[in-house]
Amino acid sequence: MRKLSKKSRITAAVAGVALVAVGGGAAYAYWTTTGSGSGEATNAPGGGTVTLHATFAGGLAPGNQVNVAYSADNATTSSTVVGALSANVTTNVATCLPAWFEVTAVTTNTPVAANSTGTSVGSGILKFNDSTTDNQDACKGAVVTVNVTSL
C-alpha cells in the first residue's frame, strides 16, 4: 500500500471538512404539513349469558335450614359481572308446596372470567318452614329445586 504524502493528506482532510460543512455528512431537512384522521374498532359483545347454579345439602326436614352456594359458568369469550340474584323454590310433588320454603340469595357485583366454570357469585339459606296447621308429609322424599336468576 502506498503512503500518502503530507500534501495529499492535507488535501484529503480539507476536502472532508468542506464536504461536512456543505452538508454532505448529514442532511437536516423536513417538510411541514397539517392533517387529521380517526380510527375505530368494535367492542366485544359483552359477557352474554352465564349459567347459574345453586348447591345445597339434601335431607331437609320441616323446621331445618341449609346453606346455599351460588356459582356461575361463563362459556363466552368475554368476562362479565353477575349482579344481584333472585331465587325461588319449586318441588317435584304438587302437594309439597313451594310456599313452605324460604330461600335467600346474597351477592354483590361479582366478576366472572371468560371461559370459566364454578365461579362463586353468592350464598344464601334455604329454610323448610314448619307448618303448625298443614301436614307436610307430601315433602318426604320430594326433590326441592332452587331456581336462581341474575337481575
Side-chain angles (χ1 to χ4, degrees):
M1 186 168 174
R2 190 182 95 163
K3 287 188 172 187
L4 292 176
S5 70
K6 186 175 180 180
K7 184 178 178 182
S8 295
R9 283 185 282 172
I10 293 173
T11 303
V14 170
V17 169
L19 184 62
V20 170
V22 174
Y28 293 102
Y30 59 90
W31 296 96
T32 61
T33 187
T34 62
S36 65
S38 65
E40 67 180 40
T42 302
N43 287 337
T49 302
V50 296
T51 302
L52 297 171
H53 305 279
T55 307
F56 54 95
L60 201 55
N64 292 343
Q65 66 184 34
V66 293
N67 292 327
V68 180
Y70 298 104
S71 62
D73 299 341
N74 182 3
T76 68
T77 57
S78 297
S79 62
T80 190
V81 173
V82 172
L85 298 176
S86 174
N88 65 47
V89 174
T90 58
T91 69
N92 69 335
V93 177
T95 53
C96 178
L97 303 179
W100 292 335
F101 298 87
E102 185 180 332
V103 65
T104 61
V106 179
T107 190
T108 58
N109 291 336
T110 305
V112 181
N115 299 310
S116 65
T117 58
T119 302
S120 176
V121 294
S123 62
I125 294 175
L126 172 61
K127 295 178 184 178
F128 186 172
N129 296 317
D130 192 7
S131 175
T132 58
T133 58
D134 297 320
N135 182 340
Q136 296 174 306
D137 284 350
C139 291
K140 290 180 180 178
V143 175
V144 175
T145 302
V146 172
N147 303 297
V148 60
T149 57
S150 177
L151 304 176

